Amino acid sequence: MIGGPLFRGISGGEKKRVNIGQEMLINPSLLLLDEPTSGLDSTTAQRILTTIKRLASGGRTVVTTIHQPSSRLYHMFDKVVLLSEGRPIYYGPASAALEYFSSIGFSTSMTVNPADLLLDLANGIGPDSKNATDYGENMEQEQKLVREDLISAYEKNISTRLKAELCNADPNNYYYSKDASERNEKKSEQWCTSWWHQFKVLFQRGLRERRYESFNRLRIFQVLSVSILGGLLWWKTPTSHIEDRIALLFFFSVFWGFYPLYNAVFTFPQERRMLVKERASGMYHLSSYFLARTFGDLPLELALPTAFVFIIYWMGGLKADPITFILSLLVVLYSVLVSQSLGLAIGAILMDVKQATTLASVTTLVFLIAGGYYVQQIPPFIVWLKYLSYSYYCYKLLLGVQYNEDDHYECSKGGGLCRVGDFPAVKSMGLDHLWVDVAIMALMLVGYRIVAYLALHRVQLR
């Protein structure tokens, strides 16, 4: 595990190596590395630069800044650019740097690491100078003079020749033009791996990464404690207490309509930096990432609601029929997927945790009120709100699975029976056209996912 805000994972040096390796996966022709050896021991730094040197020898260009390299690392470089306060003072072969500076009067009588000498010169400290230890009043002036001499020498000896080489370069040179067929072939091979391979790797990574989040002890305790407490509160509810049974079904639709939504809201905002970095590097299609994320969530997000329904359904004394139980479970899992889809869409559109959480809170509150349980006679001018609430459809489907309109329940102590379809809460919902409700939830499921995908397309790769 690489680790993140909640899981420490590997060390900083290991993350640096993983980062370099990740960039190498797409086989780039140009690789830019910013201090790849900083914070690493000499052996690890040597191993990394050896690998990079092997890449460069294979026909690629590697440009890197280096921080305090050892003499072994320095001599692995083909060319060196040395800057002093943003101005170049040397460009050329790494092996010829000392010879060049000696030719312009900056030689040293000691055997030193070339990188140390170059660093001193870039800071205006000449070889065998006392400036390194003497902080007198004239130090800054002396350093300024050294820099001016180095810049002047660069303009005279290197800059003019370099510009001439670039301006008079042969257009048939390897560095400026390659065979046309080879270039066209490179252009057509934008992705070095197939879509299916990208999907498979991202799917496996998602499962390994998110299982710690989905099955952490806190979430398991949260779901199990709520299910057991709910089962005790609705313990073996008799059929005559139809109000309590309907309340339990509404609790199903509310809890598993909103709990997955809040978890899904954080998904894309938290993964934004990783997604932008990997997509900017051309590692995979957005579609392969999105579908891997979608399918990878199924076993993780559906396990806890399944356990929840298993516990509270039988403890609550609902209809003891295997078919009814399975249908109730499928309705709850269906609602979980729709709820998660809306959470992903909200997170992808806003890409800000605070804003997404606020919008999710307002949305769930509206859906809760318009879900058909608290307000059964909604005014006509705002009745359209309930048709936007997936909790409304989930609640109606659970009622339709559990009851038929012609079922009867004991409605008085004398044993009198009443028709379920005449009970106010059921009558206001209606138990007909259930397949239409299934189709509407399917449209919500697909529609929210499409919105989330299109919103991710708008994320700037920078």
Side-chain angles (χ1 to χ4, degrees), residues 228-249 251-252 311-320 373 402-403 409-410 423:
I228 294 173
L229 180 60
L232 293 175
L233 290 173
W234 276 282
W235 178 259
K236 300 297 181 183
T237 305
T239 55
S240 59
H241 294 182
I242 189 172
E243 301 96 333
D244 293 340
R245 288 194 164 206
I246 290 177
L248 177 57
L249 296 177
F251 176 66
F252 276 14
I311 294 172
I312 199 172
Y313 186 94
W314 301 109
M315 290 180 68
L318 294 174
K319 193 173 181 180
Y373 181 79
Q402 200 71 209
Y403 296 106
Y409 67 98
E410 186 179 334
F423 187 75

Side-chain angles (χ1 to χ4, degrees), residues 432-457:
D432 53 347
H433 307 301
L434 296 181
W435 283 109
V436 175
D437 301 323
V438 173
I440 292 175
M441 290 187 70
L443 290 176
M444 289 182 174
L445 174 62
V446 176
Y448 289 146
R449 299 272 174 172
I450 292 176
V451 169
Y453 179 75
L454 295 177
L456 289 180
H457 258 297

